[in-house]
Amino acid sequence: MAQLASADITLTAVSDACSVVLSPSSCSIHADFDGSNPILTHAYTDINVVRGDVKLAIDASNISIVGTSNQNITVQLQTIDTYTQRLKITAIPTTILSGNVEFTVTIGGFSIHSTFPFNVVRESSMLDWIQDWETRKTQIGGEYIITPKIFAGQKDSTTGELTGVYIGPDTLGAGIYGYKEGETVFRINSNGAYIGGWNIETGGIMTADMKLQLLSEGTIKAIDLNDNNATIYELNKSGEASFAKGNVLFHADGSASFTGQITAASGSIGGWSISQNSLHNDNIVIDSSAAGFYIINNAQHGATTASAYLDAIKYSGGMRMFYTSNINFGIDAWLSATTETDDETGETIYHYRKAFSLGSEWSIAGWNFDHQRFYNANAVLVGANGYGGLFLSPDDISGVAVSGLTANIQAASGIYLGASSSFVELAGYSSGNLVFRLGTAGNKIGGWSFDNVKIWYGSTVTDNEGFMTNANSMIFGQGTIVGHKWRLSADGSGKLAAGKLYWDASGNTVFSGGTVKSDNNSTPAWLLNSDGSGHFASGVISWNSNGLSLTGTLSVSGGCVQLDNAGICSEGSVGTSIRFWAGSSHSSRASAPFRVSQAGVLYASGATISGKITASDGAIGLYNINSNGLYFGDITRWTDMSYNQNLTYMTPGIMRLQRAYGYFSAGDIANVRVGLGDYADPTDSGSDNSVGCRCAGYFYRQMNSSDNYYKAAVKIISDNIVNRDVALLTKGAIVCKGGLISNGRFINVASVNVIDLSFGTTIVVQNSSGYYTLYVPELSTIRQTLEIGSSDTFVIPITIIAAKSNSNKTALCFYDSVNQTYSQNAANFINYNGQNFGYKIDLEAGDIARIALIYDGSTYYAQILDRNA
């Protein structure tokens, strides 16, 4: 028996991530003319299952025979190797010319249905009346004619070319041949069939040069013979197609990919509608004619021009990126407009609210800004090169030039704080009148002037007695308090009533006349008469020409008023002489736990002080005090990275810490630096006055030892009992030279069934006791974790890994807030095409699902990024 043709074609049946491959995809079974004696040697197909390019192990238990096209067809399975099962046809009936075997492959939760077809080729050369023929003579029987050759046609008398049909042997084999004017139009012989330039074989129809092929299994493809037989285009019966040598692909699930350029004036792509000038969906528009990108909070805006887009954004809220000219461009955002009703006309008044603008117009949160300043109608913050300041005024100062702001407020009302290379000043004015001023132009507040040594009101001129010449003047400072007709000196002396009452530094007091008393009562608290008599404490202490009278106890010794372990003393005349003391005897007053020296130095061990303490010198513990704050070590060496000593510096707005760890010498183990406030980074030179805002935080740790002392340079820990462990929340990006490492979390779904993002966005799911469900967090929980409002959008990519040791599947689901349960109604998973994937994702041992939890302003859903399950 002879075989006309054969084909070995691989069909791939695809289900999600697994494919079933049959080799061959069909077969031909040769039999005698009456269907008997079928040859089943090659009546089989080898079955493989692959995931991508990787073969999966299978055995006979993975394959179930569903049925056959005829009940007399029998089959069996044979194991070839770990990855291959052979489906063999062991018997067929004699009455059929074709048939098939249907079977199902089940593996790893996937179930794929496949069909293996075959046809029966009966050999006519086995007819007995043909076998008896001796091939040379023509025989005619009652029902047949046998002859070596037959030709029906004509011969052109001029060219001698034949046109007709010939039946018989030829150099290509016995068959039927059709000719037209000497050219072969068709043929059917032992090598196959040919008609009109097409070869016809059992596997399909194709051109003689194989460039175009129509295969019987359902594929149409074209081949480029000049490009290593590359496929130009191919249409498969599965619904997949390839064009432009693989640069355009259509998949059976409806998806497509294009390598080259796509041009379209209408239609849709990936959920985006295409129009003449724009690509848009309900809320987002990219419009080439309007030269902009628009995000609009109203899906029914219906705008088609740049001005209409802006009107829709201003009314409903949204954002745009645009460029119409070199004076009109930028990015801006608007909140939805608020309305009110006019009381007189009843008309609706719209108030449009711009959130920010960057570009030809710069503004944010109601503040405008340019290269020199932030400003609104009543406040201006200036950061010009070499000049900076804050200006506040009840008048509109937004249009005042930077150079004229100071003069503007001085002529009207307001407060300003300004600094330049020539002056520093904080001042306030009311209707052109100075209220206060601090700075290089002099210090003044409420009519009082002051400098670094004195405070005064009015004039500072004194007369020969040291009194103020101007009755409305007063001065504090330089060791004195002076007014008109009175004076108090730092040495303890003083004058009152134009000198009529005088006392010297030793306490000697002179009254030039009159009586001095505390009040006008009959017995004032104290009284001094011109004759020298008088009393204190409402008469408890009194004296006259006869002497001193006391109703209490007074002990005086050596120029001191002495109590038990306390006293007031005038002994000594130097700054260290003790004037007040407590806690020791008179002889030990210089070391008393409480004492005050003549210079005003206060010593108080174990003191509890409530109120204001002012100190510009001295020390507290290890820390020194200066006019700027507290310090330890050489604070001038902060920018010296070779300085390996301990250092502390604390002043308003700045904190600097340095710790040197050493074994043999300071810093040979490690150096740690922490800076907060202006110039926190010691590598900032500070010479560039144009810097608007320097680094406000600096953490540096240099490990110099090779020992295993390395730990995290900075730890931020939030350990909360309610599992909201958000330790660091930033408004801007985090940039790092090293890696960002997340510890992630292991979840045993038998006890925890909701993902908590505060433990990380990589989750390993453990499940060994049943088919449990793991739920993504509710929208309100994510807002609480991220500390965002109810209208804020977000995108959070997370990875869920089913532990390799799991013995049970786990379902990843959403919460159904309508029914207050987790159910199949919550179909919130979106697949790669932007379509609903379903209500859950099943995960088995080793499976990985990467999703992005998204809130777009109206809908909370999960976009599937990648999954191997």
Side-chain angles (χ1 to χ4, degrees), residues 20 47 49 62-64 103-107 110-114:
V20 173
I47 303 172
V49 180
N62 297 113
I63 301 173
S64 301
F103 60 94
T104 300
V105 179
T106 303
I107 184 170
F110 296 100
S111 182
I112 307 171
H113 186 80
S114 299

Side-chain angles (χ1 to χ4, degrees), residues 208-279:
D209 57 6
M210 302 293 286
K211 287 184 178 180
L212 183 60
Q213 303 174 17
L214 283 71
L215 304 181
S216 60
E217 49 84 17
T219 297
I220 301 174
K221 64 180 178 179
I223 303 298
D224 188 348
L225 300 177
N226 297 321
D227 189 11
N228 296 322
N229 294 329
T231 299
I232 299 174
Y233 64 84
E234 181 174 349
L235 304 177
N236 296 319
K237 72 175 183 179
S238 64
E240 295 188 346
S242 170
F243 297 96
K245 293 188 176 182
N247 291 314
V248 179
L249 299 176
F250 293 94
H251 304 293
D253 60 2
S255 61
S257 59
F258 301 84
T259 302
Q261 178 179 341
I262 299 175
T263 302
S266 64
S268 63
I269 182 170
W272 292 78
S273 298
I274 302 171
S275 59
Q276 182 66 34
N277 298 308
S278 68
L279 185 65

Side-chain angles (χ1 to χ4, degrees), residues 13-37:
V14 179
S15 175
D16 290 341
C18 293
S19 303
V20 173
V21 179
L22 305 183
S23 179
S25 60
S26 63
C27 71
S28 296
I29 300 174
H30 294 273
D32 289 343
F33 70 93
D34 59 357
S36 62
N37 300 320

Side-chain angles (χ1 to χ4, degrees), residues 714 716 728 730 732-744 760-762:
V714 177
I716 302 176
L728 179 63
T730 68
I734 298 176
V735 180
C736 66
K737 190 173 182 180
L740 289 176
I741 301 172
S742 172
N743 193 29
T761 57
T762 299

